[in-house]
Amino acid sequence: GKDGAYQKITHYGDDYMHDDEYAWAACELFLATADEKYHQEVIAGLHPSEPDNRKWGWWRLYDAYGCAIRSYGFGARSGRVKKEQLQPLLLDQCESEIQSAGEDQLRRANESAYGTSFPRETKQARTAGWYFSGDAAFDLAVAYQLDYPEMKDPRPKLLEALISNLNYEEGCNP
């Protein structure tokens, strides 16, 4: 069982104890084997829209929960499982969280004179530490892969923000 199995070894990756890694492992095992017992673990442990599964309540797709959300959201697209094997509500939630993460990074890039997606939430707290523009670029690239049938296609703007984040990372910054 989970109780007593977790051990903190490093100073990072401890935000959710074992829960996020467990959800991600279950997701990957399900996608690799299509075994329903792993799928049930994913359904029970992965809640993409819960603020408690985001760093500080606002940072989407953070750490292993983010990996699990992306894996599940792209499980059928990658050919690892058939779309019919996925739980429709969870798939919708994963895709929505991926789209929302892309929209967050797009908004942040648009709010920056340098085109980097430095979070407003961090600016407001005046506690900036480690920041890598490439992380935002990754979220933008992932969101770019989804379809947006119910709204005007934001992909050209996502691509612009992705490039501006990469430019910042590569030296187009103060």
Side-chain angles (χ1 to χ4, degrees), residues 35-69:
D35 190 324
E36 194 58 31
K37 73 179 175 189
Y38 299 125
H39 196 205
Q40 291 308 310
E41 293 292 333
V42 176
I43 292 168
L46 186 59
H47 310 285
S49 59
E50 289 290 322
D52 288 345
N53 294 339
R54 299 176 186 151
K55 178 81 169 175
W56 302 308
W58 57 264
W59 186 343
R60 299 173 195 273
L61 304 181
Y62 183 78
D63 213 2
Y65 276 136
C67 293
I69 291 166

Side-chain angles (χ1 to χ4, degrees), residues 74 77 83 95 99 142-155:
F74 285 91
R77 285 179 178 85
K83 188 172 182 178
E95 289 176 347
Q99 288 174 330
V142 173
Y144 183 87
Q145 304 304 312
L146 295 178
D147 297 321
Y148 295 83
E150 67 282 345
M151 58 193 262
K152 186 174 187 262
D153 187 1
R155 286 183 289 192

Side-chain angles (χ1 to χ4, degrees), residues 123-162:
K123 292 176 193 174
Q124 291 171 337
R126 296 180 180 256
T127 59
W130 295 101
Y131 170 70
F132 302 100
S133 199
D135 293 345
F138 182 72
D139 286 345
L140 289 157
V142 173
Y144 183 87
Q145 304 304 312
L146 295 178
D147 297 321
Y148 295 83
E150 67 282 345
M151 58 193 262
K152 186 174 187 262
D153 187 1
R155 286 183 289 192
K157 291 183 181 188
L158 291 171
L159 183 59
E160 286 177 30
L162 187 159

